[in-house]
Amino acid sequence: MQHRPLGILGVPSSAAAHAPGLERSPAALRAAGLVPALERAGRRVVDHGDTSPARWRPDPPERTNPHDVARVADVLQKARAALGPVLAAGHVPVVLGGECTVTLAVVAASADAGLDLGLVYVDGGQDLQLPADHPEEPIADSMGAAHLLDLPGAHHALAGLGPRRPLLPADRLCFVGYADDEEDVHGLVPSARIPAATVLDGPAAAARRAVAAVAGAADGFLVHLDVDVLDMFSLPLADIPQYGRGLTPPVLRDLLAGLVADPRWSGLVVTEANPYRDDERGTWMSALVDLLSSALAPAR
């Protein structure tokens, strides 16, 4: 994958989020210089543009539905379709969300292309909630992994997004970097887990463990990145922040670099960087761009 071009695709949506803001993330990352930074780091880059924007709106759901689920599913189907040409061109997708749910579209598009990929889920949480778990806060952003795995109670519009159900078997998924104490409360997910404390002790070793955990996938693995895996005091962009428990930017950079350097790495999804958190100079989006371009630099 080191020699294939990176195919940038933006999915400017906050439809699955708690509030507006994430729909501006792809444009903010570009404005902070992501594409030229990747090129300076030694990557060839092809920018495939954005899907149509979708800003958060209130849509009070029934108990068994995530918030605004029909619109969330529409966003993901459009992203799935837009990824088809990226993959057909042989580009390594680098998808700029938007919300965590966009990873469903990337896994679905990869399955459409006949690829059997694992998923390294670098996230401050495990996103295993189901619609009935929190009817007072039924936000799809916290349900991505549950729908990838098609857990009982998952909503058909999300779990049925792609050409197969489940989109991802549990043995193709590894959770990395979570710092909340969220557990598999349903007892249904035997996926590998590497918590934040372990990553902080040795990010390169954690990367090797994660790659080994998803090695059963025949065609490599994707990396999902939610910036809430970072301590909000160290890089304050997360849509839903955590304080004092996450990774530091150098640790995240080294973790990502270890994952990307593996020849089986097949794509990256960047989610939950909210421009509303940034200052007037765009300081923190620029810091995220520096982190990503350093981590994605070709191995020397």
Side-chain angles (χ1 to χ4, degrees), residues 59-105:
D59 180 48
E62 301 172 2
R63 178 179 173 83
T64 56
N65 288 346
H67 171 263
D68 210 4
V69 65
R71 190 153 171 259
V72 172
D74 180 64
V75 166
L76 298 181
Q77 289 290 10
K78 288 175 179 175
R80 174 188 177 190
L83 280 159
V86 179
L87 295 169
H91 300 164
V92 180
V94 175
V95 180
L96 312 177
E99 317 99 331
C100 285
T101 51
V102 71
T103 295
L104 277 79

Side-chain angles (χ1 to χ4, degrees), residues 216-229:
D219 299 310
F221 63 91
L222 300 165
V223 176
H224 161 101
L225 170 62
D226 182 335
V227 300
D228 78 359
V229 78

Side-chain angles (χ1 to χ4, degrees), residues 183-241:
E183 296 179 358
D184 174 18
V185 295
H186 302 283
L188 300 172
V189 184
S191 300
R193 290 173 168 83
I194 306 172
T198 302
V199 181
L200 287 164
D201 284 343
R208 291 191 294 270
R209 279 185 56 188
V211 171
V214 297
D219 299 310
F221 63 91
L222 300 165
V223 176
H224 161 101
L225 170 62
D226 182 335
V227 300
D228 78 359
V229 78
L230 289 162
D231 185 336
M232 188 70 168
F233 288 127
S234 67
L235 205 162
L237 285 176
D239 194 50
I240 303 300

Side-chain angles (χ1 to χ4, degrees), residues 2-282:
Q2 297 283 335
H3 304 294
R4 285 168 49 189
L6 302 180
I8 307 292
L9 178 71
V11 183
S13 172
S14 56
H18 291 74
L22 292 177
E23 76 281 358
R24 298 189 177 191
S25 187
L29 284 165
R30 287 193 179 91
L34 178 61
V35 171
L38 291 169
E39 291 172 336
R40 287 193 301 271
R43 288 285 186 180
R44 290 185 294 151
V45 182
V46 178
D47 194 338
H48 291 263
D50 289 353
T51 58
S52 53
R55 189 177 187 272
W56 185 93
R57 65 185 183 187
D59 180 48
E62 301 172 2
R63 178 179 173 83
T64 56
N65 288 346
H67 171 263
D68 210 4
V69 65
R71 190 153 171 259
V72 172
D74 180 64
V75 166
L76 298 181
Q77 289 290 10
K78 288 175 179 175
R80 174 188 177 190
L83 280 159
V86 179
L87 295 169
H91 300 164
V92 180
V94 175
V95 180
L96 312 177
E99 317 99 331
C100 285
T101 51
V102 71
T103 295
L104 277 79
V106 183
V107 175
S110 300
D112 291 337
L115 297 173
D116 173 22
L117 297 179
L119 177 62
V120 177
Y121 206 81
V122 182
D123 198 304
Q126 297 175 53
D127 294 346
L128 288 170
Q129 293 183 16
L130 289 163
D133 290 339
H134 294 280
E136 77 286 356
E137 190 182 1
I139 304 302
D141 243 1
S142 62
M143 304 177 185
H147 285 85
L148 280 168
L149 299 169
D150 195 16
L151 298 185
H155 194 280
H156 63 87
L158 302 181
L161 183 76
R164 63 186 182 220
R165 289 183 72 166
L167 272 170
L168 193 70
D171 65 358
R172 301 288 199 270
L173 175 62
C174 180
F175 296 101
V176 180
Y178 58 94
D180 58 9
D181 295 318
E182 180 183 354
E183 296 179 358
D184 174 18
V185 295
H186 302 283
L188 300 172
V189 184
S191 300
R193 290 173 168 83
I194 306 172
T198 302
V199 181
L200 287 164
D201 284 343
R208 291 191 294 270
R209 279 185 56 188
V211 171
V214 297
D219 299 310
F221 63 91
L222 300 165
V223 176
H224 161 101
L225 170 62
D226 182 335
V227 300
D228 78 359
V229 78
L230 289 162
D231 185 336
M232 188 70 168
F233 288 127
S234 67
L235 205 162
L237 285 176
D239 194 50
I240 303 300
Q242 61 176 347
Y243 298 95
R245 299 186 298 172
L247 306 184
T248 64
V251 167
L252 178 58
R253 179 199 61 218
D254 291 349
L255 172 69
L256 292 176
L259 295 169
V260 167
D262 190 279
R264 293 166 51 79
W265 174 67
S266 300
L268 173 68
V269 188
V270 181
T271 69
E272 303 291 324
N274 192 334
Y276 287 175
R277 302 284 191 192
D278 211 347
D279 62 23
E280 295 178 353
R281 296 173 295 175

